[in-house]
Amino acid sequence: MSRRVAYYFSLLSPWAYIGHRFFVDIARRHAAAIAYKPVLLNEVFAETGGLPLAKRHPARQAYRLLELQRWREKRKLDFHLWPKHWPFDADLVNCSALAVVVAGEDPGDFVQKVFNGVWEAQENLADPAIVSRLLNETGFDAEKILAKAHSPEIRAAYESNRLEAIEIGVFGAPSYVLDGEIFWGQDRLDLLEDALAAGRAPFSANL
């Protein structure tokens, strides 16, 4: 039976963008199922002691820019450090991805399209017309998915993801959870792959 990685992320996160393609490749290599869990990132921060970018100390903001440049080079990506429409309200794209999940489909290609749209093409992903186009481009019925994204069912599932993330100890995005063990940040993907390859029991903070 394949193993399952719960993927807590926001389509607002540059780090989730940087790691997304590589995470999906790792999961495929190890025949691991991905449970996509879009979350409302700012509220997870608030509940777990984190701060939104604008409220962080200038030294932390400056270091973030260094890390973005390092990982842009490391992952051989080409993206803007300050995209034109970022930050934006990511609820629509997060809930659209969740609507795809609830429909029993794989949102991975749509998620990648959104990330590319934000960070590379500098598109406004709060614009329903752009979200609709990307859904259609990845083979989904945009009208149906967008209607579902606004439904009480999806809003409840979105809130459930947030509460679940906090309950299990997730405090930032992206977080990859394998057998209850949290791997926070795309810079932990090598460690996640090691765990998948080894098939080891999860490590625990409860010693």
Side-chain angles (χ1 to χ4, degrees):
M1 188 172 71
S2 67
R3 301 178 80 185
R4 175 180 175 274
V5 182
Y7 177 26
Y8 295 87
F9 69 100
S10 171
L11 282 154
L12 189 65
S13 167
W15 309 109
Y17 154 69
I18 290 170
H20 180 73
R21 180 181 296 116
F22 301 91
F23 166 56
V24 170
D25 286 346
I26 287 169
R28 286 174 179 161
R29 278 199 296 275
H30 297 277
I34 299 173
Y36 286 85
K37 303 275 190 175
V39 294
L40 183 56
L41 195 55
N42 284 347
E43 291 195 8
V44 172
F45 282 164
E47 289 280 350
T48 57
L51 292 174
L53 180 61
K55 294 185 178 180
R56 295 175 198 165
H57 189 279
R60 290 179 178 271
Q61 295 190 41
Y63 190 77
R64 171 185 173 277
L65 289 175
L66 287 177
E67 283 284 90
L68 285 173
Q69 292 171 81
R70 290 168 181 155
W71 283 103
R72 180 171 61 182
E73 179 179 59
K74 174 72 173 176
R75 299 291 195 201
K76 296 180 172 56
L77 297 171
D78 182 14
F79 63 88
H80 299 270
L81 300 178
W82 293 105
K84 183 177 179 181
H85 297 285
W86 188 93
F88 64 99
D89 184 345
D91 279 0
L92 178 61
V93 281
N94 283 340
C95 287
S96 295
L98 188 51
V100 171
V101 172
V102 169
E105 302 289 342
D106 184 344
D109 289 344
F110 170 66
V111 168
Q112 187 66 66
K113 279 269 192 183
V114 171
F115 280 140
N116 293 350
V118 174
W119 296 96
E120 297 172 20
Q122 300 193 90
E123 295 182 298
N124 180 8
L125 266 298
D127 183 343
I130 294 175
V131 179
S132 178
R133 192 194 82 228
L134 297 184
L135 283 164
N136 285 327
E137 287 177 0
T138 44
F140 299 110
D141 182 330
E143 184 176 355
K144 183 182 293 186
I145 293 297
L146 288 174
K148 190 76 170 175
H150 291 289
S151 71
E153 176 191 3
I154 295 302
R155 291 292 164 169
Y158 192 40
E159 172 65 2
S160 179
N161 281 352
R162 182 185 73 85
L163 295 174
E164 180 183 288
I166 293 166
E167 182 180 359
I168 67 173
V170 166
F171 52 86
S175 287
Y176 317 95
V177 184
L178 175 65
D179 299 329
E181 181 179 347
I182 299 169
F183 297 80
W184 171 50
Q186 65 83 32
D187 52 346
R188 296 297 183 268
L189 282 172
D190 287 347
L191 297 178
L192 173 63
E193 181 160 29
D194 289 346
L196 285 166
R200 63 168 175 76
F203 295 146
S204 172
N206 300 316
L207 301 179

